[in-house]
mmCIF file of all heavy atoms in Angstrom:
data_model
loop_
_atom_site.group_PDB
_atom_site.id
_atom_site.type_symbol
_atom_site.label_atom_id
_atom_site.label_comp_id
_atom_site.label_asym_id
_atom_site.label_seq_id
_atom_site.Cartn_x
_atom_site.Cartn_y
_atom_site.Cartn_z
ATOM 1 N N THR W 69 1.970 8.827 11.354
ATOM 2 C CA THR W 69 2.054 9.414 12.703
ATOM 3 C C THR W 69 1.067 8.760 13.668
ATOM 4 O O THR W 69 1.354 8.591 14.836
ATOM 5 C CB THR W 69 1.783 10.933 12.676
ATOM 6 O OG1 THR W 69 0.475 11.154 12.122
ATOM 7 C CG2 THR W 69 2.834 11.676 11.860
ATOM 8 N N PHE W 146 9.365 10.869 17.846
ATOM 9 C CA PHE W 146 9.151 11.335 19.224
ATOM 10 C C PHE W 146 7.658 11.229 19.565
ATOM 11 O O PHE W 146 6.814 11.514 18.721
ATOM 12 C CB PHE W 146 9.667 12.772 19.408
ATOM 13 C CG PHE W 146 9.111 13.789 18.450
ATOM 14 C CD1 PHE W 146 7.987 14.545 18.773
ATOM 15 C CD2 PHE W 146 9.702 13.999 17.199
ATOM 16 C CE1 PHE W 146 7.477 15.488 17.886
ATOM 17 C CE2 PHE W 146 9.197 14.940 16.299
ATOM 18 C CZ PHE W 146 8.083 15.682 16.653
ATOM 19 N N VAL W 148 3.989 11.985 20.972
ATOM 20 C CA VAL W 148 3.212 13.216 21.161
ATOM 21 C C VAL W 148 1.908 12.892 21.899
ATOM 22 O O VAL W 148 1.530 11.723 22.027
ATOM 23 C CB VAL W 148 2.886 13.893 19.797
ATOM 24 C CG1 VAL W 148 4.163 14.421 19.155
ATOM 25 C CG2 VAL W 148 2.139 12.947 18.863
ATOM 26 N N TYR W 165 3.119 9.389 17.122
ATOM 27 C CA TYR W 165 4.495 9.909 17.102
ATOM 28 C C TYR W 165 4.615 11.028 16.077
ATOM 29 O O TYR W 165 3.937 11.019 15.053
ATOM 30 C CB TYR W 165 5.483 8.796 16.700
ATOM 31 C CG TYR W 165 5.888 7.898 17.845
ATOM 32 C CD1 TYR W 165 5.102 6.806 18.196
ATOM 33 C CD2 TYR W 165 7.047 8.137 18.575
ATOM 34 C CE1 TYR W 165 5.458 5.968 19.258
ATOM 35 C CE2 TYR W 165 7.410 7.315 19.634
ATOM 36 C CZ TYR W 165 6.621 6.235 19.969
ATOM 37 O OH TYR W 165 6.973 5.428 21.020
ATOM 38 N N GLY W 166 5.518 11.963 16.394
ATOM 39 C CA GLY W 166 5.945 12.915 15.385
ATOM 40 C C GLY W 166 7.290 12.430 14.867
ATOM 41 O O GLY W 166 7.882 11.502 15.434
ATOM 42 N N TYR W 167 7.785 13.034 13.796
ATOM 43 C CA TYR W 167 9.068 12.611 13.229
ATOM 44 C C TYR W 167 9.923 13.829 12.883
ATOM 45 O O TYR W 167 9.425 14.804 12.323
ATOM 46 C CB TYR W 167 8.864 11.836 11.930
ATOM 47 C CG TYR W 167 8.104 10.543 12.052
ATOM 48 C CD1 TYR W 167 6.739 10.481 11.753
ATOM 49 C CD2 TYR W 167 8.742 9.361 12.431
ATOM 50 C CE1 TYR W 167 6.030 9.280 11.842
ATOM 51 C CE2 TYR W 167 8.042 8.160 12.523
ATOM 52 C CZ TYR W 167 6.689 8.127 12.227
ATOM 53 O OH TYR W 167 5.997 6.944 12.312
ATOM 54 N N CYS W 177 10.800 18.980 10.841
ATOM 55 C CA CYS W 177 10.056 18.432 11.977
ATOM 56 C C CYS W 177 8.578 18.385 11.612
ATOM 57 O O CYS W 177 7.996 19.393 11.215
ATOM 58 C CB CYS W 177 10.261 19.323 13.201
ATOM 59 S SG CYS W 177 9.166 18.929 14.576
ATOM 60 N N TYR W 178 7.988 17.199 11.747
ATOM 61 C CA TYR W 178 6.543 17.067 11.515
ATOM 62 C C TYR W 178 5.929 16.406 12.744
ATOM 63 O O TYR W 178 6.233 15.261 13.054
ATOM 64 C CB TYR W 178 6.284 16.229 10.249
ATOM 65 C CG TYR W 178 4.825 15.886 10.036
ATOM 66 C CD1 TYR W 178 3.845 16.884 10.019
ATOM 67 C CD2 TYR W 178 4.411 14.573 9.845
ATOM 68 C CE1 TYR W 178 2.508 16.578 9.818
ATOM 69 C CE2 TYR W 178 3.075 14.249 9.633
ATOM 70 C CZ TYR W 178 2.128 15.260 9.619
ATOM 71 O OH TYR W 178 0.805 14.943 9.435
ATOM 72 N N GLY W 179 5.082 17.124 13.428
ATOM 73 C CA GLY W 179 4.521 16.610 14.681
ATOM 74 C C GLY W 179 3.303 15.724 14.516
ATOM 75 O O GLY W 179 2.873 15.096 15.481
ATOM 76 N N GLY W 180 2.736 15.667 13.294
ATOM 77 C CA GLY W 180 1.472 14.949 13.128
ATOM 78 C C GLY W 180 0.400 15.681 13.924
ATOM 79 O O GLY W 180 0.462 16.891 14.107
ATOM 80 N N ASP W 181 -0.579 14.940 14.424
ATOM 81 C CA ASP W 181 -1.595 15.553 15.286
ATOM 82 C C ASP W 181 -1.067 15.516 16.713
ATOM 83 O O ASP W 181 -0.706 14.457 17.222
ATOM 84 C CB ASP W 181 -2.910 14.755 15.220
ATOM 85 C CG ASP W 181 -3.673 15.022 13.939
ATOM 86 O OD1 ASP W 181 -3.139 15.726 13.057
ATOM 87 O OD2 ASP W 181 -4.814 14.524 13.824
ATOM 88 N N THR W 182 -1.043 16.654 17.346
ATOM 89 C CA THR W 182 -0.540 16.688 18.725
ATOM 90 C C THR W 182 -1.065 17.882 19.494
ATOM 91 O O THR W 182 -1.240 18.970 18.929
ATOM 92 C CB THR W 182 1.012 16.695 18.750
ATOM 93 O OG1 THR W 182 1.462 16.768 20.112
ATOM 94 C CG2 THR W 182 1.606 17.852 17.970
ATOM 95 N N ILE W 188 7.166 18.144 21.193
ATOM 96 C CA ILE W 188 7.070 18.911 19.942
ATOM 97 C C ILE W 188 7.835 20.230 20.078
ATOM 98 O O ILE W 188 8.477 20.699 19.138
ATOM 99 C CB ILE W 188 5.590 19.118 19.482
ATOM 100 C CG1 ILE W 188 5.517 19.849 18.133
ATOM 101 C CG2 ILE W 188 4.732 19.845 20.491
ATOM 102 C CD1 ILE W 188 6.016 19.067 16.959
ATOM 103 N N ILE W 199 6.560 21.618 10.751
ATOM 104 C CA ILE W 199 5.184 21.529 10.265
ATOM 105 C C ILE W 199 4.317 21.261 11.481
ATOM 106 O O ILE W 199 4.410 20.206 12.114
ATOM 107 C CB ILE W 199 5.051 20.410 9.217
ATOM 108 C CG1 ILE W 199 5.990 20.691 8.042
ATOM 109 C CG2 ILE W 199 3.609 20.285 8.732
ATOM 110 C CD1 ILE W 199 6.252 19.476 7.183
ATOM 111 N N LEU W 200 3.524 22.253 11.829
ATOM 112 C CA LEU W 200 2.793 22.214 13.093
ATOM 113 C C LEU W 200 1.295 22.268 12.869
ATOM 114 O O LEU W 200 0.801 23.110 12.103
ATOM 115 C CB LEU W 200 3.222 23.405 13.953
ATOM 116 C CG LEU W 200 4.732 23.431 14.250
ATOM 117 C CD1 LEU W 200 5.173 24.820 14.657
ATOM 118 C CD2 LEU W 200 5.073 22.399 15.320
ATOM 119 N N GLU W 201 0.617 21.386 13.553
ATOM 120 C CA GLU W 201 -0.832 21.401 13.433
ATOM 121 C C GLU W 201 -1.435 22.481 14.316
ATOM 122 O O GLU W 201 -0.932 22.759 15.406
ATOM 123 C CB GLU W 201 -1.383 20.014 13.787
ATOM 124 C CG GLU W 201 -1.296 19.631 15.257
ATOM 125 C CD GLU W 201 -2.660 19.522 15.898
ATOM 126 O OE1 GLU W 201 -3.291 20.584 16.067
ATOM 127 O OE2 GLU W 201 -3.074 18.390 16.214
#
Side-chain angles (χ1 to χ4, degrees):
T69 59
F146 55 93
V148 292
Y165 277 85
Y167 297 98
C177 169
Y178 172 53
D181 284 6
T182 178
I188 183 68
I199 301 162
L200 301 160
E201 71 113 290

